[in-house]
Amino acid sequence: DAKTTQPPSMDCAEGRAANLPCNHSTISGNEYVYWYRQIHSQGPQYIIHGLKNNETNEMASLIITEDRKSSTLILPHATLRDTAVYYCIVRPFLNDYKLSFGAGTTVTVRA
Amino acid sequence: EPEVTQTPSHQVTQMGQEVILRCVPISNHLYFYWYRQILGQKVEFLVSFYNNEISEKSEIFDDQFSVERPDGSNFTLKIRSTKLEDSAMYFCASIGVIYAAFFGQGTRLTVV
């Protein structure tokens, strides 16, 4: 699976948008970008995934660059409850559904 | 909303004892997983299970570990003879039609 690079940490003000970058320069054509988060040692929580089009759901938006070498997860209005470790994971859509977690980005939302 | 349920939430066991961690995946999901997370470290894949058999396992998943789905609803992870280094959070996950994994809240295993 392609490797991802994320900043180790970032702060965000409550109520503002949080933009979380992820680099995946070796992504291949059949690999999707998945985002998960983990709040204080709870089980990881699925957020969103995409292939090449931008995606939006009730939790977040995912922007994938045209060359697919990087993506940005956007939390539109961060709340204190969004404080968590966010993981960007690249994985083939079919075959081998296991997830390879890196260190992720520790996001701290401040009041 | 359907969720993955794990029991117990916390298990303390003596070194050398057997433990069984239990999971009830989301019904109609077909792919099941165990992951673990040692305190302060990354979430690590242990094993995947599909069609009543192991489809993939990591190097961590040695002969001391086993999984089964005895009754079509429960999914268990057994550690035959626990070691101190097995102390970790163990997460069960299942995958459904959108191929996103849904995780349980985990079992904290403490080996003393």
Side-chain angles (χ1 to χ4, degrees), chain A residues 36 38 91 93 97-99, chain B residues 33 35 37 56 99 101 103:
Chain A
Y36 286 80
Q38 187 176 27
R91 197 203 78 187
F93 188 69
Y97 301 119
K98 75 173 189 288
L99 298 168
Chain B
Y33 300 80
Y35 291 79
Q37 186 175 32
E56 187 174 354
Y99 301 102
F103 287 78

Side-chain angles (χ1 to χ4, degrees), chain A residues 34 36 38 41-46 49 87 91 93-94 96-103, chain B residues 31 33 35 37 42-43 45 56 89 91 95 97-106 108:
Chain A
Y34 281 77
Y36 286 80
Q38 187 176 27
S41 295
Q42 295 178 19
Q45 178 187 21
Y46 165 77
H49 73 280
Y87 301 101
R91 197 203 78 187
F93 188 69
L94 295 177
D96 184 11
Y97 301 119
K98 75 173 189 288
L99 298 168
S100 297
F101 288 85
Chain B
Y31 303 88
Y33 300 80
Y35 291 79
Q37 186 175 32
K42 299 176 186 178
V43 178
F45 166 76
E56 187 174 354
M89 285 290 292
F91 297 109
I95 285 183
V97 293
I98 65 169
Y99 301 102
F102 291 87
F103 287 78
Q105 289 306 294
R108 179 175 301 281

Side-chain angles (χ1 to χ4, degrees), chain B residues 47-63:
Chain B
V47 65
S48 57
F49 192 85
Y50 171 69
N51 203 23
N52 280 324
E53 61 182 23
I54 290 173
S55 49
E56 187 174 354
K57 57 185 180 180
S58 71
E59 293 177 353
I60 303 167
F61 195 89
D62 62 21
D63 292 344

Side-chain angles (χ1 to χ4, degrees), chain A:
Chain A
D1 295 352
K3 295 290 184 275
T4 63
T5 304
Q6 299 178 253
S9 64
M10 60 184 295
D11 285 0
C12 175
E14 187 179 23
R16 304 295 294 270
N19 297 297
L20 283 62
C22 179
N23 285 323
H24 30 79
S25 58
T26 60
I27 194 170
S28 59
N30 69 339
E31 290 182 315
Y32 280 64
V33 180
Y34 281 77
W35 282 84
Y36 286 80
R37 72 181 183 183
Q38 187 176 27
I39 298 172
H40 190 56
S41 295
Q42 295 178 19
Q45 178 187 21
Y46 165 77
I47 301 173
I48 199 167
H49 73 280
L51 181 63
K52 52 185 175 182
N53 297 321
N54 298 338
E55 302 288 345
T56 295
N57 63 20
E58 65 278 4
M59 288 183 69
S61 295
L62 174 61
I63 308 298
I64 302 175
T65 57
E66 195 169 336
D67 63 7
R68 302 207 325 122
K69 294 182 185 300
S70 66
S71 60
T72 301
L73 179 75
I74 301 172
L75 308 177
H77 304 287
T79 70
L80 298 179
R81 287 193 301 267
D82 292 321
T83 293
V85 180
Y86 287 77
Y87 301 101
C88 169
I89 300 171
V90 169
R91 197 203 78 187
F93 188 69
L94 295 177
N95 303 324
D96 184 11
Y97 301 119
K98 75 173 189 288
L99 298 168
S100 297
F101 288 85
T105 297
T106 299
V107 174
T108 303
V109 181
R110 302 193 186 279

